[in-house]
Amino acid sequence: EMSEMSERSKQNVAHGLAWSYYVGYLKIVLPRVKKSMEEFSRANPNKMACKETWKLHILIPLSCDICDDLEKADSNIRYLTDLTETTLTRAGIQKRVYKHSLYTIRDEDKLWHCAVEYATPLQSLYAMSQDDCAAFSREDRLEEAKLFYRTLEEILKGSKECVGTYRLIAYEESGEAETHFLSREILWHLRQQRHEEYAVYEGNQSPNPSTTLSSTELNLQMSESDLPRPLRSDCF
């Protein structure tokens, strides 16, 4: 009965997607990110000066609207190169390739370089909201996107293998057409990481841009009833 209630209310969608994303992808690739960054930095010492940004920056738009080509999404973002590939035999697929792309982010007269990509499970949430068979509304999609972010953040915080290898960038688009909205969001996080490394701000931090959401803000936007419930009533 509890399982049927959870399925009807869609409470396990984001929770399952977050765990699948972690177990099937992030847990595999994140422990290798810094080594790839180090290799690139040795070959290109002028491009990756800030070690604190040697992470995979994961974009989480709460609209779940993902653009496959970041250069088309924002002209201040330019593809640079790919990091060293990781090749594994997995689930019957011989020599499966995992890789990340490095991008140049223009900040007025300065250039930043970082590995960035979208959280691909959000494409599933978006597709569900467009498919009548899923009976998944835009409101459902927004709540599930928030839950996906909160669940993923909690999973990664508890993962010893992934410490210091990622940066989650959750944001809500303003609704107004902004040419460089995405690069602005990424740049804010890059600057924050630089401040963390060099301790520029001691006890003071620059304010969050209005579109960037913290997990605390997401907690305030969601009630306890929105969280996934255990399928067994006797698990406590």
Side-chain angles (χ1 to χ4, degrees), residues 105-189:
I105 317 294
R106 181 175 295 279
D107 180 12
E108 296 179 351
D109 295 330
K110 182 178 180 180
L111 297 179
W112 297 73
H113 302 90
C114 69
V116 59
E117 61 188 52
Y118 284 102
T120 52
L122 296 179
Q123 289 181 314
S124 297
L125 289 178
Y126 188 84
M128 286 177 67
S129 69
Q130 303 297 307
D131 194 321
D132 293 337
C133 295
F136 200 74
S137 68
R138 292 180 63 183
E139 291 74 20
D140 290 332
R141 185 181 73 198
L142 176 60
E143 292 306 308
E144 290 298 316
K146 293 176 184 176
L147 181 54
F148 172 83
Y149 168 65
R150 288 179 55 196
T151 304
L152 183 62
E153 182 183 48
E154 200 64 31
I155 293 170
L156 288 170
K157 280 182 178 179
S159 174
K160 294 180 180 178
E161 302 97 325
C162 299
V163 172
T165 62
Y166 66 92
R167 181 88 171 192
L168 300 182
I169 304 178
Y171 59 90
E172 191 165 17
E173 286 118 329
S174 63
E176 300 178 2
E178 294 185 46
T179 307
H180 302 302
F181 172 85
L182 188 55
S183 60
R184 179 168 61 84
E185 293 294 318
I186 297 171
L187 285 168
W188 185 85
H189 282 268

Side-chain angles (χ1 to χ4, degrees), residues 9-53:
S9 61
K10 315 274 190 319
Q11 287 177 337
N12 285 332
V13 176
H15 189 74
L17 285 175
W19 270 104
S20 177
Y21 185 47
Y22 168 69
V23 174
Y25 179 65
L26 295 181
K27 191 176 181 180
I28 299 169
V29 302
L30 287 181
R32 297 170 170 82
V33 165
K34 287 211 170 184
K35 182 179 179 181
S36 297
M37 292 285 191
E38 288 172 4
E39 292 174 356
F40 179 83
S41 180
R42 283 197 296 269
N44 305 271
N46 296 326
K47 293 188 183 298
M48 300 293 290
C50 181
K51 289 186 178 181
E52 193 62 30
T53 63

Side-chain angles (χ1 to χ4, degrees), residues 24-25 28-30 32-33 35-36 39 82-100:
Y25 179 65
I28 299 169
V29 302
L30 287 181
R32 297 170 170 82
V33 165
K35 182 179 179 181
S36 297
E39 292 174 356
D82 290 329
L83 291 175
T84 305
E85 297 177 351
T86 296
T87 304
L88 299 172
T89 296
R90 187 169 174 82
I93 302 173
Q94 295 291 323
K95 298 180 180 179
R96 183 169 183 174
V97 175
Y98 298 86
K99 68 177 183 179
H100 309 292

